[in-house]
Amino acid sequence: MIVKAYGAHGADKPLESLDITRRAPGAHDVQIDIAFCGVCHSDLHQVRSEWAGTMYPCVPGHEIVGRVAAVGAHVSKFKVGDLVGVGCIVDSCQHCADCNEGLENYCDHMVGTYNGPTADAPGHTLGGYSQQVVVHERYVLRVRHPAGQLAAVAPLLCAGITTYSPLRHWKVGPGHKVGIVGIGGLGHMGIKLAHAMGAHVVAFTTSESKREDARALGADEVVVSRNAQEMATYAKSLDFILNTVAAPHELDAFFALLKRDGTMALVGAPATPHPSPNVFNLIMKRRSLAGSMIGGIPETQEMLDFCAEHGIVSDIEMIRADEINQAYERMLKGDVKYRFVIDNASLAA
Ligand code: NAP
Ligand code: ZN
């Protein structure tokens, strides 16, 4: 079936209205009418081929929420009308050690919601800036938030799980002092989640204007990271740092803030490398540098349920599909509070 979408024909081309084809639902597929789709910085990196290898046309979008429109004959988990979400993953090998542990995000054959290999036309997956999507039920999540919060739930499907997963993996909780670096889409979720997990949260931002907001989001303390004096007062004080920054920057300033045995996990994925950290900063206090990528399907469901239980959603600014190019420019300037979400009904216009 042909549906309306928004995407780009090349790395240097703006996004525009496109018609794309979705497969008819197979036996294990769920067909979803997409209500809203969040706008992740990864969408911008990929549609502009900043990570190289983008296939065109590229229809981004991996923070998808909507209602089930149809299900295949063997689908048992969902029925027509259910509120559901789809995140960054739409397929994986389903039998490797990673898949068996529910860590499909680390499967060597993980297929991204867009720009991944597929038998469907045009040979690569097309994402959530579209009216509908058809996804194998294994990769579909149940949304338990009230329907009225659906738009603000969308960003949980990537920004939520990408911050939840490392916070859980490094066992963040009461008694921990945690730094969240970069208060954008990911970072603002990181603050909310770390706070809900009971940690003492210190937010690090380059934007003086976000100082008050970060407190309202749940930060106990806020540091403007451009201010070296303010940074120095936090030396050797943090157990864990989650770094969400989308651009290359000096990591040493943050390593200096970790206690002995502290870890900084990078989730931000800049197009060009960070300057190499000073090795002495690591060895002197047995500190670790780590990375983390989104999260597996069971943990994504756990995160959605945790958020529903704790009343957590994203802070969003709703846009029409035809406002996406301006939204990208604003995202590059850090001018979004704190996630753009596309109203997919605007695709029909
Ligand atoms: P975003 O909304 O644009 O937020 C990034 C924040 O980083 C900005 O709001 C800004 O916060 C800070 N920042 C930007 N440029 C900076 C600079 N030059 N120096 C210092 N700070 C800067 O982006 P996002 O959607 O949260 O995504 C963040 C990064 O994570 C992207 O690279 C994205 O591709 C990546 N990502 C990774 C995964 C994963 O699985 N690992 C998943 C999703 C996204 P302040 O104004 O507070 O400084
Ligand atoms: Zn994302």
Side-chain angles (χ1 to χ4, degrees):
M1 123 209 52
I2 292 179
V3 303
K4 295 261 175 234
Y6 236 80
H9 285 288
D12 54 356
K13 300 277 192 309
L15 279 73
E16 58 180 286
S17 179
L18 306 171
D19 286 339
I20 62 166
T21 306
R22 294 298 189 191
R23 67 175 183 260
H28 292 281
D29 283 339
V30 178
Q31 183 182 336
I32 300 161
D33 283 334
I34 304 176
F36 304 101
C37 184
V39 178
C40 179
H41 206 114
S42 302
D43 298 352
L44 188 160
H45 288 310
Q46 287 188 80
V47 81
R48 296 185 178 178
S49 205
E50 291 178 357
W51 295 341
T54 298
M55 294 173 271
Y56 295 95
C58 175
V59 174
H62 57 206
E63 294 185 337
I64 297 170
V65 289
R67 276 192 196 275
V68 174
V71 293
H74 295 147
V75 169
S76 54
K77 279 165 57 188
F78 302 100
K79 59 178 191 329
V80 172
D82 284 353
L83 282 183
V84 292
V86 175
C88 305
I89 310 170
V90 291
D91 205 0
S92 62
C93 83
Q94 307 193 16
H95 53 69
C96 68
D98 296 316
C99 287
N100 287 341
E101 283 184 58
L103 294 170
E104 300 89 345
N105 49 322
Y106 296 116
C107 170
D108 288 339
H109 302 284
M110 191 265 264
V111 176
T113 302
Y114 59 89
N115 201 37
T118 176
D120 297 351
H124 59 270
T125 51
L126 302 170
Y129 300 1
S130 59
Q131 290 176 309
Q132 281 197 342
V133 67
V134 177
V135 180
H136 188 289
E137 66 172 328
R138 175 177 177 143
Y139 307 95
V140 178
L141 289 310
R142 184 168 300 286
V143 172
R144 296 192 165 87
H145 288 75
Q149 291 185 326
L150 199 55
V153 169
L156 302 182
L157 275 304
C158 175
I161 183 60
T162 302
T163 48
Y164 183 91
S165 185
L167 291 171
R168 282 289 189 230
H169 183 76
W170 278 279
K171 301 188 169 39
V172 164
H176 282 87
K177 211 167 172 182
V178 172
I180 306 287
V181 183
I183 313 307
L186 266 56
H188 96 290
M189 288 311 308
I191 294 176
K192 290 186 187 211
L193 291 167
H195 174 74
M197 289 172 188
H200 182 93
V201 182
V202 186
F204 293 89
T205 179
T206 57
S207 312
E208 183 67 46
S209 63
K210 294 181 185 172
R211 211 186 262 278
E212 285 314 306
D213 283 9
R215 280 190 175 278
L217 292 166
D220 297 283
E221 301 174 64
V222 186
V223 179
V224 174
S225 53
R226 295 189 198 279
N227 183 331
Q229 264 180 325
E230 214 178 324
M231 289 287 276
T233 61
Y234 288 83
K236 298 175 217 163
S237 69
L238 302 174
D239 297 284
F240 179 70
I241 295 176
L242 183 62
N243 187 329
T244 75
V245 173
H249 60 283
E250 294 287 347
L251 301 178
D252 283 318
F254 294 103
F255 278 122
L257 310 188
L258 287 171
K259 289 180 188 167
R260 172 176 51 79
D261 290 324
T263 295
M264 174 155 67
L266 306 182
V267 290
T272 51
H274 296 295
S276 182
N278 181 336
V279 173
F280 287 91
N281 247 336
L282 297 172
I283 61 181
M284 296 299 279
K285 291 280 174 195
R286 200 162 57 187
R287 295 167 174 135
S288 301
L289 172 59
S292 183
M293 192 175 77
I294 43 177
I297 298 297
E299 195 175 46
T300 305
Q301 188 64 63
E302 178 188 307
M303 175 278 309
L304 281 170
D305 295 348
F306 177 90
C307 288
E309 203 176 298
H310 289 81
I312 296 173
V313 291
S314 174
D315 287 21
I316 64 164
E317 181 177 335
M318 190 97 79
I319 58 165
R320 295 191 317 269
D322 62 8
E323 293 173 311
I324 187 68
N325 294 301
Q326 292 152 269
Y328 281 177
E329 293 312 312
R330 283 185 51 197
M331 184 157 65
L332 280 172
K333 289 188 230 147
D335 174 25
V336 44
K337 293 195 168 174
Y338 277 88
R339 196 60 138 184
F340 289 117
V341 171
I342 297 171
D343 178 355
N344 287 43
S346 66
L347 286 162

